[in-house]
Amino acid sequence: MDFGKAFTYVFEDPDWLRKLGIGTLLMLVGILFSWLIIGLIPLIIVLGYTVVVVRNVSNGDRYPLPEWQDWGGFFILGLKLMVALFVWLLPAFIVLVPVMIGSALADSNNGNMGGMETIAILLTVCGSCLMILWSLVVTLFTPAIYVRLARTERIGSAFEFGKLWAFTQRNLGDVIISILLVWLASFIAAIAGMLGFIALLVGALITIPAATLWQYLVQSHLFGQIAAKDRASNLAEVEDL
């Protein structure tokens, strides 16, 4: 895998400035109106766009960034991805309930030692550990979820645990490296976003959505590379995806 290319391929596209500009505008609108349901629409479109990037990288396209044309297709793919990830993360939200109960019990106990405080601590610690553990599981499965949605466009494919596990297991090393690099891209994007404040709010309105979009595109290229490598080495199994 060419990990470095994931950070630079965006700028190799002859039309990268326009494509990135449209995506940045969508991100900006989504961020500004995130407090409204309608604000989710541009963000969902961007999510769908990143799924198509995964597919294009997997197919070996020279310039993986698609044209901003199939808006409806982007929206549908993005909505499927958002729903799939939400469902996968739902157990973590459910586990959050005992954590909140434990915290409430600890606060109401006023620091007095006793049985209630022990229960509160157990609920908080065990719940937090389960949340972290499940979040790590979802993180490891995220590349497979992206790849399966990119190839099948079926939301059900994001919940076929056996195939998700098989893909993740076959490519575990690359999955872990890619996740670490996505975190690195997230850190770089955060730094770039903060630098926008140097140019006052106007600068931040450009750098924050642009850097966030770039981070998503880095992630998509990495996941697409995993898919391409997996296809090359396990063609028979991947054809069944």
Side-chain angles (χ1 to χ4, degrees):
M1 288 181 59
D2 188 350
F3 298 112
K5 191 174 183 62
F7 291 79
T8 61
Y9 80 98
V10 170
F11 310 105
E12 296 173 2
D13 191 306
D15 208 15
W16 72 268
L17 189 59
R18 181 178 61 83
K19 292 178 180 178
L20 196 62
I22 295 174
T24 298
L25 180 60
L26 287 170
M27 291 292 300
L28 176 60
V29 173
I31 292 172
L32 291 178
F33 294 95
S34 59
W35 53 283
L36 295 172
I37 294 179
I38 195 173
L40 290 175
I41 294 177
L43 298 178
I44 291 173
I45 292 173
V46 171
L47 278 180
Y49 187 87
T50 64
V51 173
V52 176
V53 171
V54 173
R55 179 193 301 155
N56 291 346
V57 174
S58 174
N59 292 337
D61 291 4
R62 182 179 182 185
Y63 301 120
L65 295 180
E67 290 291 341
W68 287 99
Q69 294 176 340
D70 187 13
W71 296 86
F74 294 151
F75 178 80
I76 292 173
L77 271 178
L79 185 61
K80 289 178 179 178
L81 176 62
M82 186 179 71
V83 171
L85 292 177
F86 175 78
V87 173
W88 269 99
L89 287 170
L90 194 57
F93 295 135
I94 294 175
V95 172
L96 182 62
V97 175
V99 174
M100 295 175 64
I101 294 175
S103 298
L105 288 174
D107 291 338
S108 64
N109 204 37
N110 296 321
N112 297 320
M113 296 299 293
M116 290 299 293
E117 184 175 13
T118 301
I119 294 175
I121 293 174
L122 286 174
L123 284 173
T124 303
V125 172
C126 293
S128 298
C129 290
L130 287 173
M131 283 181 60
I132 294 173
L133 180 61
W134 185 251
S135 296
L136 288 174
V137 170
V138 175
T139 299
L140 286 174
F141 275 14
T142 296
I145 293 171
Y146 265 83
V147 170
R148 290 185 58 72
L149 278 176
R151 287 186 175 153
T152 69
E153 297 191 10
R154 293 187 299 104
I155 191 170
S157 66
F159 302 106
E160 295 173 345
F161 183 84
K163 292 182 179 180
L164 292 173
W165 168 247
F167 179 91
T168 303
Q169 188 179 38
R170 286 195 305 266
N171 304 282
L172 186 58
D174 290 328
V175 166
I176 292 174
I177 294 174
S178 295
I179 290 171
L180 293 176
L181 290 176
V182 169
W183 290 347
L184 174 62
S186 177
F187 176 75
I188 295 173
I191 296 298
M194 287 189 294
L195 289 177
F197 285 104
I198 297 176
L200 302 179
L201 183 59
V202 175
L205 289 176
I206 297 174
T207 57
I208 291 177
T212 304
L213 174 63
W214 171 80
Q215 172 199 334
Y216 290 160
L217 295 175
V218 169
Q219 173 179 275
S220 294
H221 197 280
L222 289 168
F223 293 172
Q225 285 195 63
I226 296 175
K229 182 179 178 181
D230 186 73
R231 170 181 287 172
S233 57
N234 302 278
L235 184 58
E237 291 182 62
V238 175
E239 285 295 332
D240 186 47
L241 284 174

